[in-house]
Amino acid sequence: MARILLGVTGSIAAFKACHLASDWTKAGHTVRVVETAAAERFVTPLTFTSLTGEPTRTAMFPDSPAVPGDVAANPAPATINHVKDAAWADLLVVAPASADVIARIAAGMADDTLTATILAYEGPKLLCPAMNVHMYDNPATRRNLDVCRDFGWTVLDPASGTLACGDTGRGRMPEPEEIERAAATLLAGGPDGPREDGPQENGPQESRPQGGADAQATASLPLMGLNVLVTAGPTQEPLDPVRYLTNHSTGKMGYALAASAAELGAHVTLVSGPVALEEPEGVDVVHVTTARDMFEAVSDSFAAADITVMAAAVGDFRVEEIAPEKIKKAGRESITLTLVANPDILAWAGGRKRDDGSQVLCGFAMETEHLVRNAARKLAGKHCDMLVANDLREPGAGFATDTNVVTVLTPGGPDEQTPHIEHWDLMDKTTLAKRLLLRLAALRK
Ligand code: CTP
């Protein structure tokens, strides 16, 4: 899986960039869009953010959020974002590339987020010009394109046809399929790519199909051959034959993880507490009720699992003794239950995982306060390779939602005690599930 930066400039062809963003995201790539101010006139940042699940970069110094209410899209002056994004990406594609941006690239300018990002970027890059035929034929544009080629850009020649302005000739941006084929070639190590020192997020196998028919024939799914174990849903701890202790978990996150892992090619075992969701296709589901049942089911499958993700909201306590008959209220003003601790399944797994790095373990944490501090404690205390934390009170996060907003912690931050911390923006649970799984696959040794 690759990280693709998609630069979009002001052109009627900007709508084709939506197809690119959507196709690449569906194929499992992470796509981050950088729009010029003129591009925003054609397609809103919100459209790209919705298609990719990633923040869309816009103005260099946003006075106000580009997307109303979307401070997260440009959380800091892009003076930071452009350098970070440039280091983050495996491939940079500018589509459509206007005559103006081509001139500014050729001149080495950095007067907006897109050109600043381009100047900071060192990997393979693809330029897809789109403009009026006379602008394209202008010697200045021709010279600028030659300069771009000298700078290492792969330039996709525009197609001929009737242009938006009514003229006929060369200037139409190539169709998304052609751009996707060229991008796949660069990512597969074509003329200029991929860069060897760049951040890689590939799974253990080859990456997913990337568009072209040839690429589709040879590529395999990124989790192919891996066993993935997922826990999901709440547990129920009976008090008597009628009542139980439980929590608000609906299982949506865990089910999204199981379904996504299967889609990405894994063999999946889902250990599920009682939920109202349909079993995901192609997944072995083990239904359980109590934390102890869940522990038993996990301990049956854990040794064979390459990736384990525990998204279940496990009851920490159960009643010491389950009443054999219904507890009656007659004559009682209060009732005292004695609770005893359930096994901590994640901590058990953390203590047992293979120490050669071939088995990775991910826990979840839902918190109401001190999110990072509590999650960091769980990451270290339960020997996880990743801990995904969410705040119950954050809009779009929590139980029963189709979206989530998470903070992802992994060991190996600035010092031994401090984990590496990433705050991910709001995204739907399926997109999040795929991203997490690809990250976990990349963590496996
Ligand atoms: N977990 C588990 N077994 C338990 C409790 C929790 O496997 N008995 C797992 C959950 O599936 C989750 C992670 O541990 O992946 C964190 O769960 P959470 O309930 O947030 O943490 P606790 O350790 O129970 O801490 P607390 O409830 O005090 O926040």
Side-chain angles (χ1 to χ4, degrees), residues 211-253:
D214 293 345
Q216 289 195 8
T218 52
S220 60
L221 296 169
L223 300 189
M224 196 85 91
L226 294 184
N227 290 323
V228 172
L229 171 63
V230 178
T231 68
T235 58
Q236 290 177 355
E237 307 299 331
L239 307 182
D240 67 15
V242 178
R243 306 174 181 98
Y244 54 81
L245 294 174
T246 191
N247 56 63
H248 294 295
S249 171
T250 58
K252 282 187 175 178
M253 190 67 238

Side-chain angles (χ1 to χ4, degrees), residues 231 310 312 314-316 343-346 363-367 378 382:
T231 68
M310 299 215 185
V314 185
D316 287 330
D344 190 314
I345 308 166
L346 181 62
F364 269 71
M366 177 168 294
E367 305 293 344
K378 288 172 192 177
K382 303 193 190 200

Side-chain angles (χ1 to χ4, degrees), residues 384-415:
C384 296
D385 301 289
M386 181 186 286
L387 204 294
V388 182
N390 48 183
D391 183 336
L392 182 64
R393 300 205 173 96
E394 173 96 31
F399 294 124
T401 57
D402 290 320
T403 56
N404 211 342
V405 184
V406 299
T407 299
V408 177
L409 291 84
T410 43
D415 58 63

Side-chain angles (χ1 to χ4, degrees), residues 336-367:
T336 303
L337 299 172
T338 304
L339 304 181
V340 294
N342 274 325
D344 190 314
I345 308 166
L346 181 62
W348 172 87
R352 297 219 143 204
K353 67 178 169 148
R354 296 190 286 270
D355 54 17
D356 60 0
S358 62
Q359 205 174 21
V360 295
L361 182 61
C362 172
F364 269 71
M366 177 168 294
E367 305 293 344

